Amino acid sequence: MPSDIENKCIKRGLRLTDQRKLIAQVMSESEDHPDVDELHNRVNKIDSKISIATVYRTVKLFEEAGIVAKHDFKGNKARYEQTTEEHHDHLIDINTGEIIEFVNEDIEKLQKQVAEKLGYKLVDHRLELYGSKNKK
Amino acid sequence: MPSDIENKCIKRGLRLTDQRKLIAQVMSESEDHPDVDELHNRVNKIDSKISIATVYRTVKLFEEAGIVAKHDFKGNKARYEQTTEEHHDHLIDINTGEIIEFVNEDIEKLQKQVAEKLGYKLVDHRLELYGSKNKK
DNA sequence: ATAATTGCAAATGCTTTGCTTGTGA
DNA sequence: TCACAAGCAAAGCATTTGCAATTAT
């Protein structure tokens, strides 16, 4: 069965190679935010011949097609996740590296307002919170 | 007259070499957010013997001392600015690259609330708006 | 058939580092 | 004096790219 991402590739007319199908599948199944190395490891468990260059190229292709999102969190290499319908931002646990997604409409609205007030149309934004777990 | 940054270096006991003094001076006088290359160019106008390695090392030293702030805006190399008393965030003009600073207390508060609600203490954050100028 | 994609290794761009010489306190 | 800093070039790291061979449509 074609993965979620594979279907999007078809919809966008991307040529579907075995490598792309597999990367699409692995990304679709990933619940976290893997970097390219990690993605490469995961696909290599299934097909050990896929090169890291292909993973880089594919992930970039998917990103440009709006199928996956790239994140450059502080101090780390780029991480990827499947694009979701609903926008969200991230909180990064500075101790464990764990990434928690959150949605906050108020902040979204305020961002737009700030941009407007400065004479700009908000095209994109980046909001990342870095925190450490409260001990109870 | 010692620059603003130079004074902070003294306060923190950093050894003051000619190179550091000059980089401190150039950073103090910069109203924008130069990257290391640009900084290197600027100091080289005054002392052409300063190496880029020294600029990298100094800027890192200043950052670790909390004297300057480093920003990795999307798609660009790292940029630096003198630390200010009041925290601010940035709006980046996606057409010109111009950087506008802004302060919004409401967003700050909401960020803290979001972190708390997720069980975290907010240690750091990153908020960047990317926009294009409204034509009137 | 043929234009696009892959794998590989080499190249890139930014940043860091090892080592020797120079220098601030 | 002498631990630390500078300059240089080499190394590092993530990412990109040229090219010949392979493959999807």
Side-chain angles (χ1 to χ4, degrees), chain A residues 15 17 19-20 51 54 57:
Chain A
R15 186 191 280 200
T17 63
Q19 291 88 332
R20 288 185 184 170
S51 78
T54 296
R57 281 192 272 236

Side-chain angles (χ1 to χ4, degrees), chain B residues 17 19-20 49 51 54 57:
Chain B
T17 63
Q19 291 87 333
R20 287 183 183 173
K49 279 186 230 62
S51 78
T54 296
R57 279 192 272 235

Side-chain angles (χ1 to χ4, degrees), chain B residues 95-106:
Chain B
N95 299 124
T96 67
E98 197 191 348
I99 294 166
I100 295 115
E101 304 182 348
F102 68 86
V103 178
N104 188 296
E105 288 305 337
D106 292 338

Side-chain angles (χ1 to χ4, degrees), chain A residues 17-65:
Chain A
T17 63
D18 290 346
Q19 291 88 332
R20 288 185 184 170
K21 278 184 213 162
L22 184 48
I23 295 167
Q25 183 200 316
V26 167
M27 286 236 51
S28 286
E29 288 169 357
S30 294
E31 307 270 285
D32 52 349
H33 301 70
D35 59 33
V36 168
D37 249 354
E38 177 58 25
L39 233 30
H40 186 227
N41 288 339
R42 294 182 191 177
V43 299
N44 270 7
K45 281 189 191 137
I46 306 171
D47 175 351
S48 65
K49 279 187 228 61
I50 296 185
S51 78
I52 188 118
T54 296
V55 181
Y56 271 108
R57 281 192 272 236
T58 303
V59 121
K60 188 177 207 178
L61 179 80
F62 286 177
E63 194 205 349
E64 284 162 359

